[in-house]
Amino acid sequence: MPKATKKKKEKAADFTKAKLKIGKGKKAASNSVDTSFKARSIAVPSQNSLTKNNDDTPTTKRNLSVADLLLHLKHHNATTRKDAILGLREILEAYPHLVPSDLANILSVSVRLVVDEDASVRRNLIAFYAHLLPNVPPSLLVPHIPLLLLFTTSAQSHIFPEIRVDAVKLVDILLDIAPDAVCKGWESVVGPNSSALSGTEGHAGQRVLDGYLGLLSVGERKGQQVNADKMVPTSGISLASTSKLSVLTSLSTFLRHALQRPDTYRSSDSTDIPTWYFASSFSSQRDFRSFLRLVRPSNQSRKNTEADFIWQERIVAEEPTEDFCSFFSLAKATTTNWSIADISVGQVENESLGESGPSGHPATELAYRLQPLLTSTLLDCAPVVFAPSHSSPPETELNLILNSARIVQALYSAVFENCVPGDVRLRQGSEELLSYIGYMSPYFPFGDNAFDRRDIKVELIFQELNVIYCELVSLLLLGDEESSKKDQKGNRKGKRAEDALDAHVTRAAEFVLQWLEVETVGTPSRMSLTGTAYMSLLPTLWSLLGSGRLESSSRISKTVSDSILRAVVKQSSKASASSAVKRVSIQFIAHILLLQTIQGRRKHEKENVNIWQDWILGLPRVLWELGSNNAALTETILLLILRLFQRRSVHLNGEVIDQLCARLVPYFTIQHPTRGSLPGPFWKLSASTGGEAKRLVLHVAKVLLLCASAEPKEALGHAIRTAQN
C-alpha cells in the first residue's frame, strides 16, 4: 500500500505547479546555467618588476624612497613602522649625501615614535638615533635639538613606564652629543624659584630632571620642612632592576655634566687637574684663581671660561735682568726678547670666597630628595654583591651600587664646594653624607679579593668604588668645620659622629698607603693606578696631607701622614714620563710646593725638605724623557722651577741649584761616547708646538746661570754654546 501511494506522487510531481510563498524567491529551473563570476585583485607593491623608476631617486632594496619611508612611519601596522625605521638607516648608510637635505623631515616625523606603544618600534628608533645623531655635523644638528628634547621629555612623563624608561635611553644619546642643551636650566627643579620657573620655556634640564625624579618615585618637599614624613610621592612605579639601572646610569651622567666643575677640562689632551680642594687655603676667589695660573700651561690659558676673565690677575713687573738670548747669541732661535719679569704674578686684593656664590646650592636640595633612594639602593644590593659565596658578583646589582655612589659623589661635591661655611644646609649635608658613608664602610675596601678574579670590569668597578669612598671621606674633612667638630656642649651625638669620622679617615689613609704600595697593612696590593683613578684620588690625598685633623686624631699619627707624602712622591718618581699618572702627580705636587710658599704657610715649607728636594732634582730627567712629545707638561715643570725661584723657596739652596744646573746640561747637549756632542731635546722643540716651552727653558737656564756656582755654570753655558754651533 505505501509503495503504490509513493509512486503516484512521483508521477504527479512533474505536472504539479509549485506554490510561491511570500518572501521566497522563484526557484531556478533545473536546466538553468549560472553565468555569474567573481574577480579578486592581488597587491604586490614591493616587487621591483612592477615599478619602473625613470628618475635617479635613491631607494632601498625594497624600492622605497625617503618620502615613502616617512609615510610608512605613520602606518597603523607596527611591523611596517619598524621596517620603515630600518629602511631609513639603510638608505642613509647607502646615500650619506641625503642627510643634510632630508634631516629635518626625518627627525620631525621619526621623533614622534618615541612614544610608540610597540616596544620593537621604540627599540629600533633608539638604535637608529644612536647611529645617526653622533655622525651628523653639529652645525646641522643644533637647530633640531629643541624638537628632540621636547618629544623626549614628553615621553619621560608618559603613562606607560616602559615608554618612560626608553625615553631615558634617548636622553643618554642626547647627553653624548649636546650635554649643555640637555642640562640647561636644571636648577629650576630644585632651586628656590622652582615654582615661578616651572612654565619658563627653554629649561630642558628642568623637564629632564623632572622625568628622572618621577620615574624613580622621588618625592618633593612640602614647604620648608625637612622631615622625611613630609615627602610627597609622585608615582607608585616599581621598576625592575635592569630598568632602575638604566635610569640611575643616565641620571649619573646627567649630574656629571650639570655639576661639572669649571676648573677641570675632560678632553683627552687636558693638562689640568681638579683643584677645587685648594680653595679653602685662600681668602678670596681672586687669590685662588691667580694661584691656579702659576703653573698653567699656555694651551690651557686659552681655554679660560668667561668666569676666568672676570677675575683678571694683576701682573707685577720686576726689575728686568740681562737678556739671556742676546748673552748667548741665540736670537735666531727666538723672535722676542723675553725677561723673567714677564711671567711673574703678584698678589691681589682680598675678596671673600663666600661672597661669590649663593648660600644654598641647588644640589643640596636634590641630594636631600635623593638620599632615601640612594641609601635603599645600597642597602638592597650590597648583601647580594659582597656575599662571600659569590665567585663573581651580579652585574646588575654591582652597577646599581656604582651609579648610586657616583650620584652621591657628584651631588655632595657640589654641596661642599659651593655652600658657605656655617650654613645650616651644609651641616645637614655633612650629616647625610656621614650616614651614607657609614652604610658603605662595612664593605670597604670593596672587592678585597678582586685581584683573584679575572674579570677586569669587576676590578675597575671596585677600584672606582674605593676611590669614591675615599673622596667622600675627604669631602667631610675639607668641608664645613662644624661637620667635623664636636658639639660645644659635648653631647653624645657629636662625639659619636666624631668617632665615626675618625674611623673613616683611618681606613681611608690605610687604603691609600696600600694602594700606593708603600706599606702593607693587612691586605694584598691592588691593581695599578690609572690616570683617571689617581686624579679622583687627589682630594683624598690633599685632605690626608694638609688637614690638621690627622695630627689631632688618636687613630692617625703624623707618621702616617708623612708616609702618604713619601708614597705620593715615590709614585710620581716611578711613573713613566709618558703616563697619565706622571702628568697628574707632577701637577698635584707642583701646587703643593707653591702653596707652601704663600705667606702664612711658610712654616710647612721646612717640613720634609729632603723629600721635596729629591723630587725637584728628578725634574731635569723628566724634561729629557719628555723631549718634544708633551710640551704642556714641559711648561708645567719649567714654570714650577721659575715660581720656586721667584718665591725664594727653601728647597732651592746652593747645593740643589748646582745639581739642577748640572742635570740640565744633557737637555741642551748630549755627550755620546763615539759620536761626540749631539743636540739635546731642547732643539727638537718646534715653534708651533713647543714655542712657549722653549722660552721657559731659556728663562730657567738664565736663572740657574745667575745663581749657580762657577763650575756648574760653566758646564751649562758650554753645553748651550756647543749645541748652537
Side-chain angles (χ1 to χ4, degrees):
M1 192 69 180
K3 291 184 179 181
T5 305
K6 184 179 180 181
K7 289 181 179 181
K8 288 180 180 181
K9 289 182 179 181
E10 290 177 356
K11 290 179 180 180
D14 295 336
F15 305 97
T16 302
K17 185 178 180 180
K19 294 182 179 181
L20 299 179
K21 296 182 179 180
I22 298 176
K24 300 290 185 179
K26 185 180 180 180
K27 291 184 178 181
S30 59
N31 59 348
S32 63
V33 179
D34 186 10
T35 58
S36 62
F37 63 91
K38 294 181 180 180
R40 295 177 179 267
S41 61
I42 301 176
V44 283
S46 59
Q47 289 190 5
N48 295 337
S49 60
L50 300 181
T51 305
K52 295 182 179 180
N53 286 331
N54 297 324
D55 54 4
D56 296 332
T57 303
T59 59
T60 64
K61 294 180 180 179
R62 299 176 59 189
N63 205 36
L64 295 175
S65 64
V66 173
D68 298 331
L69 293 171
L70 294 180
L71 289 176
H72 286 191
L73 289 177
K74 305 175 184 179
H75 199 272
H76 63 85
N77 186 273
T79 303
T80 302
R81 297 195 300 270
K82 182 191 71 173
D83 293 340
I85 296 174
L86 298 175
L88 284 174
R89 178 168 181 175
E90 175 191 340
I91 197 172
L92 293 180
E93 288 178 350
Y95 305 96
H97 66 276
L98 295 177
V99 173
S101 58
D102 294 330
L103 181 64
N105 293 332
I106 292 174
L107 293 180
S108 61
V109 177
S110 61
V111 73
R112 303 173 189 273
L113 297 181
V114 71
V115 294
D116 197 287
E117 295 184 3
D118 189 83
S120 63
V121 175
R122 298 194 306 272
R123 183 171 57 253
N124 282 278
L125 177 68
I126 294 172
F128 172 62
Y129 278 166
H131 172 76
L132 173 65
L133 298 183
N135 296 321
V136 176
S139 58
L140 296 177
L141 189 59
V142 167
H144 307 289
I145 294 297
L147 177 67
L148 295 173
L149 286 173
L150 178 63
F151 281 91
T152 302
T153 54
S154 176
Q156 281 187 286
S157 59
H158 199 274
I159 189 173
F160 294 140
E162 56 271 15
I163 294 180
R164 301 167 73 174
V165 173
D166 287 341
V168 169
K169 299 177 182 178
L170 185 53
V171 172
D172 290 337
I173 299 175
L174 296 177
L175 281 172
D176 290 337
I177 59 178
D180 295 337
V182 177
C183 300
K184 182 180 180 181
W186 73 273
E187 305 93 340
S188 305
V189 180
V190 293
N193 300 322
S194 58
S195 59
L197 294 174
S198 59
T200 304
E201 296 181 0
H203 287 187
Q206 172 189 357
R207 302 192 301 271
V208 172
L209 186 55
D210 273 335
Y212 286 129
L213 300 182
L215 192 55
L216 293 170
S217 301
V218 175
E220 299 178 356
R221 289 195 181 191
K222 210 172 184 180
Q224 298 298 326
Q225 299 294 328
V226 295
N227 193 339
D229 296 336
K230 300 296 183 180
M231 302 295 286
V232 180
T234 57
S235 65
I237 299 175
S238 179
L239 296 175
S241 297
T242 54
S243 299
K244 186 177 181 180
L245 175 60
S246 299
V247 179
L248 287 180
T249 303
S250 182
L251 178 59
S252 173
T253 306
F254 176 86
L255 293 176
R256 178 171 57 86
H257 289 292
L259 300 171
Q260 187 174 12
R261 301 183 181 104
D263 66 332
T264 57
Y265 302 94
R266 298 301 183 187
S267 58
S268 58
D269 60 342
S270 170
T271 57
D272 263 5
I273 61 173
T275 53
W276 58 266
Y277 43 87
F278 292 120
S280 59
S281 302
F282 298 87
S283 59
S284 72
Q285 283 279 8
R286 187 173 299 178
D287 288 342
F288 178 48
R289 293 180 183 274
S290 298
F291 170 76
L292 295 182
R293 292 189 180 97
L294 293 179
V295 290
R296 177 171 292 178
S298 58
N299 66 330
Q300 289 297 332
S301 299
R302 302 187 189 99
K303 296 181 180 180
N304 288 340
T305 60
E306 182 179 354
D308 290 328
F309 291 108
I310 295 177
W311 308 99
Q312 290 292 336
E313 61 183 349
R314 184 175 64 189
I315 305 299
V316 179
E318 298 179 354
E319 291 295 329
T321 56
E322 187 175 2
D323 186 26
F324 175 79
C325 298
S326 60
F327 181 79
F328 284 107
S329 301
L330 294 178
K332 295 182 180 180
T334 60
T335 57
T336 306
N337 292 331
W338 293 304
S339 171
I340 192 69
D342 295 337
I343 52 176
S344 62
V345 180
Q347 296 295 325
V348 294
E349 58 272 15
N350 288 336
E351 183 171 342
S352 175
L353 282 167
E355 296 175 358
S356 62
S359 60
H361 195 270
T364 307
E365 173 75 14
L366 186 58
Y368 171 74
R369 295 171 61 180
L370 287 172
Q371 186 200 17
L373 170 71
L374 300 175
T375 303
S376 63
T377 301
L378 174 63
L379 295 178
D380 292 342
C381 299
V384 180
V385 172
F386 303 109
S389 59
H390 285 161
S391 58
S392 181
E395 183 177 358
T396 301
E397 284 74 12
L398 179 60
N399 282 281
L400 279 171
I401 294 177
L402 173 63
N403 284 281
S404 62
R406 286 174 175 173
I407 294 173
V408 172
Q409 178 191 29
L411 289 174
Y412 286 97
S413 295
V415 170
F416 282 86
E417 293 170 32
N418 294 279
C419 287
V420 177
D423 190 353
V424 64
R425 301 182 185 180
L426 187 59
R427 185 181 183 91
Q428 174 189 332
S430 300
E431 295 174 355
E432 296 170 358
L433 183 57
L434 186 60
S435 174
Y436 186 85
I437 294 175
Y439 292 122
M440 295 180 69
S441 60
Y443 308 102
F444 179 81
F446 299 97
D448 202 17
N449 296 322
F451 59 90
D452 293 332
R453 302 185 178 94
R454 296 183 178 181
D455 191 354
I456 187 64
K457 293 182 180 179
V458 174
E459 294 181 2
L460 291 176
I461 291 176
F462 283 138
Q463 183 188 70
E464 185 174 355
L465 284 173
N466 288 322
V467 172
I468 290 175
Y469 177 90
C470 293
E471 182 171 352
L472 295 181
V473 172
S474 68
L475 287 176
L476 292 176
L477 290 174
L478 300 173
D480 185 19
E481 294 181 358
E482 294 185 10
S483 64
S484 59
K485 289 182 178 180
K486 296 182 179 180
D487 293 350
Q488 295 180 356
K489 297 181 180 180
N491 54 32
R492 292 182 59 187
K493 181 178 179 181
K495 186 178 186 304
R496 202 162 46 241
E498 180 78 9
D499 294 341
L501 184 55
D502 283 341
H504 299 323
V505 173
T506 302
R507 301 185 68 185
E510 293 176 351
F511 173 77
V512 170
L513 286 176
Q514 297 170 20
W515 207 1
L516 295 177
E517 298 182 356
V518 175
E519 288 184 23
T520 302
V521 190
T523 58
S525 61
R526 305 185 179 281
M527 59 186 301
S528 60
L529 275 170
T530 61
T532 303
Y534 194 88
M535 188 178 296
S536 301
L537 201 61
L538 295 184
T540 304
L541 294 175
W542 171 245
S543 66
L544 297 178
L545 292 173
S547 176
R549 183 182 184 83
L550 291 177
E551 300 177 4
S552 61
S553 174
S554 60
R555 295 176 176 85
I556 298 182
S557 62
K558 190 176 183 301
T559 304
V560 178
S561 179
D562 292 340
S563 299
I564 294 176
L565 174 61
R566 288 192 294 270
V568 172
V569 174
K570 183 178 179 180
Q571 182 74 18
S572 177
S573 302
K574 287 174 52 180
S576 171
S578 59
S579 65
V581 173
K582 190 75 168 184
R583 173 183 62 81
V584 174
S585 61
I586 288 179
Q587 282 271 4
F588 179 63
I589 295 176
H591 284 87
I592 294 178
L593 285 172
L594 292 177
L595 197 60
Q596 293 177 353
T597 63
I598 295 177
Q599 189 70 22
R601 299 182 64 93
R602 285 281 185 177
K603 60 179 181 179
H604 301 290
E605 191 178 15
K606 298 180 180 180
E607 300 176 358
N608 302 303
V609 175
N610 294 333
I611 297 177
W612 295 122
Q613 288 179 344
D614 291 341
W615 184 83
I616 293 172
L617 290 175
L619 294 179
R621 178 177 179 179
V622 179
L623 291 174
W624 192 91
E625 293 176 348
L626 289 174
S628 59
N629 295 328
N630 194 337
L633 184 56
T634 300
E635 289 182 37
T636 299
I637 296 173
L638 296 171
L639 282 172
L640 171 62
I641 297 175
L642 289 173
R643 301 305 185 191
L644 293 177
F645 271 107
Q646 286 177 332
R647 293 164 180 262
R648 296 177 176 86
S649 173
V650 298
H651 304 311
L652 297 181
N653 54 27
E655 182 181 356
V656 173
I657 293 175
D658 289 345
Q659 292 191 45
L660 281 176
C661 195
R663 297 186 183 193
L664 198 61
V665 169
Y667 193 71
F668 292 95
T669 303
I670 304 173
Q671 295 296 331
H672 195 271
T674 57
R675 300 173 61 184
S677 298
L678 298 176
F682 170 78
W683 306 102
K684 297 180 182 180
L685 296 174
S686 62
S688 58
T689 59
E692 181 67 13
K694 207 167 189 177
R695 179 181 76 90
L696 294 175
V697 171
L698 297 178
H699 276 298
V700 171
K702 181 177 181 179
V703 173
L704 290 175
L705 290 171
L706 293 174
C707 301
S709 58
E711 184 175 351
K713 179 191 299 185
E714 177 61 26
L716 181 59
H718 177 71
I720 298 175
R721 289 190 294 268
T722 303
Q724 182 191 14
N725 298 330

